[in-house]
Amino acid sequence: NTAPAYEKRSERDDRWSWKYKKWDTWDFKDKDAKSSNPHTPKFKQSFVDFIVEEKLPFALAKEGPRCYIQIEKRNLNTMDLVKQIMQMTKLPRKKIGIAWLKDKHALARQWICIHTNDIIKIGDQKFMKDFQAITKVISYGFHSQALNLSTPIRNQFSIRLKYENALPLGKKEEIEKRLATLAKTWFRNYFGEQ
């Protein structure tokens, strides 16, 4: 894999533009393109074809000053979810912790953090009932550290590629070999097409 190319806008301009050039990766066509090759996989035809799950860098406890709620969202981006939580709880944005933004067109399992005292003021039973009206709650726990953009979470991805027809001989082995290499070497998580 090659990194994206960065270009100067002009000789006199020292700022860099982050232009997406071309990635030297898989030879997959655009998901909306009409392919004449029936062996080109289709990517992201449904939100369940792309699953992302945040993994916290620490274990959660049974009590603590901050409540971590793991949610599962579909067809809803992170900031729309945060806005709904703000409307429901009447909390300002700065009191709702998130680590990163997750794709709207995916099945995303993400952590939200709210101070335990704020939940107690709202009422924990009412809070959880209202929260579940917005999105699916998977689990919860407590920790002393706040969740924010500097929290070193990991993202675990599951990507499903669909083929219209059976793969030709040797193609399955070639794909499995590439996936085995990726599993050992990993790749950087760039925003945009990956």
Side-chain angles (χ1 to χ4, degrees):
N1 294 347
T2 59
Y6 304 107
E7 295 181 343
K8 284 188 177 179
R9 295 182 197 166
S10 71
E11 289 302 318
R12 295 177 10 190
D13 191 349
D14 289 331
R15 292 176 296 168
W16 295 87
S17 65
W18 294 64
K19 285 189 176 178
Y20 172 73
K21 286 288 203 166
K22 181 179 177 178
W23 296 88
D24 184 25
T25 58
W26 301 68
D27 296 329
F28 295 158
K29 303 258 189 266
D30 184 277
K31 66 178 180 179
D32 297 322
K34 299 286 184 198
S35 173
S36 60
N37 182 354
H39 304 296
T40 299
K42 304 288 186 232
F43 174 66
K44 244 172 146 177
Q45 292 179 309
S46 166
F47 65 86
V48 293
D49 291 341
F50 184 68
I51 301 171
V52 59
E53 183 172 355
E54 287 182 344
K55 300 290 186 179
L56 295 173
F58 43 76
L60 297 176
K62 293 186 179 185
E63 56 183 45
R66 290 179 176 82
C67 182
Y68 278 69
I69 305 160
Q70 186 183 33
I71 56 97
E72 181 178 279
K73 62 184 189 61
R74 303 170 184 207
N75 295 322
L76 182 66
N77 71 37
T78 302
M79 291 316 297
D80 287 342
L81 174 67
V82 169
K83 287 176 189 172
Q84 289 183 27
I85 295 169
M86 288 168 55
Q87 290 172 349
M88 174 194 76
T89 62
K90 307 296 187 239
L91 292 173
R93 168 64 189 95
K94 68 181 181 179
K95 289 198 167 204
I96 301 168
I98 58 171
W100 290 101
L101 303 178
K102 296 293 175 264
D103 195 339
K104 176 180 180 175
H105 304 291
L107 180 93
R109 295 183 185 113
Q110 180 169 12
W111 289 95
I112 305 288
C113 177
I114 298 176
H115 202 283
T116 306
N117 289 340
D118 292 323
I119 296 173
I120 292 170
K121 287 177 190 172
I122 296 166
D124 57 349
Q125 296 295 323
K126 179 183 178 348
F127 175 83
M128 279 308 230
K129 182 180 176 188
D130 291 347
F131 208 90
Q132 288 175 336
I134 297 172
T135 188
K136 181 179 179 182
V137 175
I138 299 173
S139 68
Y140 69 93
F142 300 88
H143 200 270
S144 59
Q145 181 180 338
L147 183 66
N148 55 47
L149 295 178
S150 67
T151 305
I153 63 155
R154 290 183 307 120
N155 287 314
Q156 178 177 319
F157 295 93
S158 296
I159 299 171
R160 183 184 333 182
L161 301 173
K162 296 179 183 176
Y163 290 88
E164 291 178 10
N165 298 324
L167 293 172
L169 292 175
K171 186 71 171 177
K172 181 179 178 188
E173 291 78 15
E174 177 188 341
I175 291 171
E176 287 175 349
K177 185 178 175 184
R178 285 182 175 187
L179 290 173
T181 301
L182 277 177
K184 291 177 188 173
T185 61
W186 298 89
F187 57 91
R188 289 184 178 224
N189 182 16
Y190 293 106
F191 288 102
E193 293 296 323
Q194 297 181 20

